[in-house]
Amino acid sequence: MGLLTLIVLLPLLGFLVNGLAGNRLGKRFVSVVGCGLPAIAFAVTVKCFLDLQAGGWAPLAETAYAWAVVGQSSFEIAFWFDRLTAVMALVVTGVGTLIHIYSIGYMHEDKSYARYFAYLNLFLFFMLLLVLGKSLLVLFVGWEGVGLASYLLIGFWFGDMEKAAAGKKAFVFNRIGDAGFLLGMFAIYSALGTFDMPAINAAFMGASTPAVSASLVGILLFIGATGKSAQIPLYVWLPDAMAGPTPVSALIHAATMVTAGVYLVARMSGIYLHAPEASTIIAAVGALTALMAATIAIAQDDIKKVLAYSTVSQLGFMFVALGVGAYGVAIFHVYTHAFFKACLFLGAGSVIHAMSGEQDIKKMGGLGRKIPITFVTFAVATAAISGIPPLAGFFSKDEILWYALASGRGGSVLLFAVMAFTALLTAFYMFRLFWLTFMGAPRMAKEVEHHVHESPASMTGVLVVLAVLSAVGGFLSIPHFLEPMLPLPETMAAMQPYHYWVMGGSIAIAATGLAGAIWFFAGDASRAGAIRAGFAGVYRVLSNKYYIDELYDRLFGRPLVWISDAVFLRLGDRMIIDGTLNGLASVAQRAAGRLSRVQTGSLHKYAFLVLVGMVASFVWMWTHG
Amino acid sequence: MDKVQVLQFVAAALFALGLTGVVIRRNVLVMLMCMELMLNGVNLSLVTFAHAMGSAVGAVLVFLIFVVATAEIAVAIPIVLLLVRRKRTLDVGSFSDLKG
Amino acid sequence: MADSTILSLVLYLPVAGFLAIAALPAGRDALVRALTLGAMLVQFALSLVLYAHFDPAVPGLQASTQVAWIPAWGVTYYIGLDGYNILLVLLTTFLGPLVTAGAFSAITKDVKLFYAMVFLIQFAMLGTFVAQDLFLFYLFWETMLIPMFLLIGIWGGERRIYATIKFFLYTAFGSILMLAAVIYLVYSLQQTTGVISFAFADLYKVRLPLEAQKWLLAAFALSFAIKVPMVPFHTWLPDAHVEAPTAGSVILAGVLLKMGTYGFLKLGFPLFPDATLLATPILSTLAVVSIVYGACLALVQNDIKKIIAYSSISHLGYVMLGLVSLDLLGIQGAIVQMVSHGLVAAGLFLMVGMIYERCHTRELAAYGGLAKVLPVYSVFFMILTLASVGLPTTSGFTGEFLALLGAFNAGWRQWQGGSIYALIVAGVAVTGVVLGALYMLRFAQHFLFGAERVPHGPVADLNLREVSILAALAAAVFWLGLFPDSAMKRTELAAREYQQLVSAPRTPAPTRLTGTPPLEAAR
């Protein structure tokens, strides 16, 4: 069995073992298997990376088996390991393993410990299928599979109907995106006859134009990406997904699953390089999503919801980078975002753990002294996401801002302005979150305050590792590493002189955001309170997320149910179809009833009829000789 | 009008009278008697033709009809008796259980 | 032992079983159950042997038996296995023991008669699939009606009489039209070639004028469309499923509905290719309507059996879409989807039966939080739900994906040729995947999650018998989802043959007198 297949199968083994036997074999066994197998997968991934490097960066390929052979077309389960896959796989297995270790401490009291680790391993299996897959088919299997794992994990505490409903919402919205994805896949197949991604890219990059419009395919695949990566219009499941355990939010809804859409577009760069309309749409949707989510985040009070909207917003940044052709930069942001967002979410988990389950930041405050490790790591991660140099987020965000302005494939001042403003908002709401949670005077209830304690080593250790990665990760220049396969776009000559201005500007934005947050929320946050009171309407719209969920319900949810019930069921099935049938049956019955009146039971009438019949037949015989 | 024709008219008249009787009369026994009348009309017609054409076939057929008629009466009278015993009337109109 | 002998054994074992349990004295219920289960397991084992011996590279029939039966009418007793029916035979014999075991605790009165009916239905269904002579096919087709009628009518629910009469009349009506068409078809064969024969191989060669083809296709299609069922001939299905006992629903959804699609695949379309090509837009539209309409209706049901019934209508829409696409991918997908639906729907009905035995209600609102109370049950329920939704790694994905891909492919080619309709139809069909997730997850949501609500509780989780049944089904679902190639290899030649038969025009060559140009040139 090849190494790539082994990477994929290790977490699957963990799922099967923990799922079937975990309950009986005790927590320690489950922890060892549940964290050990992903760790081994990470080690194997590193080995493959070294093999890749030793082989002069020629991609590794492996075919596991042929899934179906129909005529000329053969659908194979095959894996592929090139530079892009290496980055993604290392992030997935590495950060994944860390979050598994964190879960040992976080889920220690939970009754369904084994089930949790089984699902988490299942997720890892599908995510690895997604990033290691060589054909769109294998990617799609992983794509849907992570949706399943997400459903199971968001609704993990299914006794609460709301949490279960959040899981269903995630699955359904992902499915809507998947419908677009499928259409794009089918279009590619109909035109090119293959699902093999390197082959598809080659076809689009080749000399002759393929039989299908790159933009059409690009848009269809992007619809799938909006579902999985929570962009407009399908992002609404992500904030609700916070109902799941916090490590799940960190792993799935920050570091890995939601970046699948970004990975898809980057992987299919061959298509997008030749699809200017699709790229423009991607950039526009990304920018709009980033801005919208950032505005919502500044009005949220639940620590996880702020981070959720922050994720949506950061994903928007990544899509802007993709839209202007800077694919490597987007992956760079995926990589740094995985570190600092995971650190933020896990830190939030640590805070919630310390606060005995409280998630409302209005009831926090002053935690800095009580949970110092969490405080420091959270601070580092917040600084990273705000783009303060030399932390990781600064490098990736700065590159995105630069290409948003200067890329020859769609950069513009407007795009830059929107993204710069969003970056300002990002810094602002993140420091707001940080300040309200950790600084100032405690605002919590006395019993809660007594119980505040630092998390166990399994949790804080991971936080430290992630904080360190958030700090130094940016020095590894992923865009240059990926440049041989994902070339950076040409920058417009007119913008060249402004390169360092942009860099300086992004530092200034981060500092402004920090300062603004402190100015508003330090002390008794009276200035913030005054703004909130003054702009009450705006605040209400923002904290209610622009009422999008309600809009979707009115526009789609309720009409669908109404049509299905009133039109299809009652009118169509019952009244028209069954009505016709039962009507025919009753016509037959009534006709039979009338005809049966001939049977009067009177022998005389019968005899008379015999006579009439006889006479009639004689007459007929006589006339027709 | 020769003898054959007259006899045929008589036979036809017998048959017609019998048929009319079956259709008109309400008394079960009278209906049975009229059916016998019809049979006899047919018999007369057959014998007449047998004599006129000199063929024995008609006569043989008459014997057949005698036998069948006897058998029929042997079955029909008991049925009528049972029916009348149930309904306590000889009126055909009251035997309407097969209605509907 | 020769394969043809094994096939005859497989076919007649139910008859032997029927006679054996008829001979048993009354009151020996346990013996009846054991005997039936034994016979069904042997039958399944034998058909596995047939499956293993089946050679994918040989076109035409294998394991066949052909004996002249009524030579004056051209009727032969002709049975055999080919790519069309091998999977369906395997499915039927696989579900046999599962149905039997599943009914052990559910059926307690007239047990002997019940299993006698099950044997008869098994015989009739297998016969329909392996018959290669139209007379024999029709005979087996009709044989299925009476035992099913009795099954629903005697052991069914409250409105069983209405449901079973509706089922019987609907199906019989279609069959009568089909009989008229069959007679006309054989008559045409005799008129044109002088040979009178009911064998499929001969009938495929009949050349009929387009008008005649249209009427005959309509007659056959009506009969099969009622069986599939396609919208708008589907309303017998919800009633029949809801009122039937669990075993009846499993047989109905698992195999009976496939008789309709098999009829289209083997007879309806290949016999009348020109009319089929003309009717493709209508047929594909009806298929998509089935997919969407069935899914929408499943969304608003509150009776758990009705949800699965309407989901069957939706799933078989994919089969029809694949068959009509005439693309090899679509056809293979359709065949796999037939088998997949048989497994998944059978499994879901068995699970509904298990919960009904415990809680005695089919109302969705009466249940809640079963995942906590019945964890093993919930795991299997989740697996089957996901298979129904078409999650990759399950058989549902294989079938739906290939069928949709085939339909889209065919639509794309037609778009290149100037008509965009087929492509639009395929596009709408893809939205079916979203609706599928909606109704099944709504079902799972109310059933498994939320506050605990167990009518007539507390109830026990699955016992060993139930777990083995469901484990076997789950294994089959995953096998077909992860390794479909072994099955698809065997059906490939048949799919190709079907594609060729339906694509080749087959109207009579013009006579020299009229001198009209050949219809082929006009197409």
Side-chain angles (χ1 to χ4, degrees), chain C residues 246-257:
Chain C
T246 304
S249 296
V250 173
I251 295 176
L252 194 52
V255 187
L256 230 66
L257 301 185

Side-chain angles (χ1 to χ4, degrees), chain A residues 65-73 75 126 137 140-141 144-145 148 151-152 158-161 164-165 168 171-172 175-176 179 182-183 185-187 189-191 195 211-212 216 560-561 564-565 568-569 572-573 577-578 581-582, chain C residues 162 166 170 232 234-235 293 296-297 299-301 310 328-329 332 371-372 382 386 389-392 397-398 401-402 404-405 408-409 412 427 430 433-435 437-438 441-442 444-445 449-451 481-485 488 492 496:
Chain A
Y65 70 98
W67 181 68
V69 179
V70 180
Q72 310 289 51
S73 10
F75 299 107
F126 281 122
L137 182 64
F140 187 73
V141 173
E144 290 260 318
L148 167 70
Y151 169 70
L152 292 172
F158 51 74
D160 184 343
M161 198 50 157
K168 181 171 93 144
F171 197 94
V172 169
R175 261 287 156 127
I176 299 176
L182 276 173
L183 285 172
M185 268 175 81
F186 290 163
Y189 191 84
S190 298
F195 281 130
V212 65
L216 174 69
L560 178 64
V561 172
S564 302
D565 193 36
F568 286 162
L569 183 63
D573 237 37
I577 302 181
D578 261 353
L581 289 175
N582 290 337
Chain C
Y162 169 76
K166 194 170 179 182
Y170 230 133
H234 65 282
T235 50
Y293 189 80
C296 281
L297 274 144
L299 191 56
V300 290
Q301 296 300 325
Y310 280 110
L328 201 58
L329 286 163
Q332 287 278 60
K372 200 170 300 173
M382 208 68 225
L386 293 169
V389 166
L391 192 81
F397 172 69
T398 316
F401 183 78
L402 289 172
L404 284 173
L405 181 57
F408 194 92
N409 232 358
W412 188 267
V430 171
V433 305
V434 180
L435 292 168
L438 272 173
L441 287 187
R442 168 183 172 261
Q445 208 75 351
F449 303 135
L482 290 168
F483 309 108
D485 200 42
M488 284 170 64
E492 174 146 8
R496 265 189 212 282

Side-chain angles (χ1 to χ4, degrees), chain A residues 596-597 599-604 606-608 611 614, chain B residues 19 22-26 31 92 95-96 98-100:
Chain A
S596 75
R597 286 197 214 141
Q599 308 296 322
T600 53
S602 157
L603 287 172
H604 265 135
Y606 293 167
F608 181 66
L611 172 64
M614 259 192 343
Chain B
L19 187 55
V22 168
V23 171
I24 290 183
R25 297 300 296 263
R26 295 184 71 105
M31 281 172 83
V92 157
F95 301 152
S96 61
L98 280 178
K99 183 178 167 62

Side-chain angles (χ1 to χ4, degrees), chain B residues 1-2 28 32 35 43 61-62 70-71 86 97:
Chain B
M1 202 189 311
D2 61 337
V28 156
L32 278 177
M35 280 188 244
N43 281 345
L61 209 50
V62 168
T70 313
R86 279 214 102 217
D97 289 23

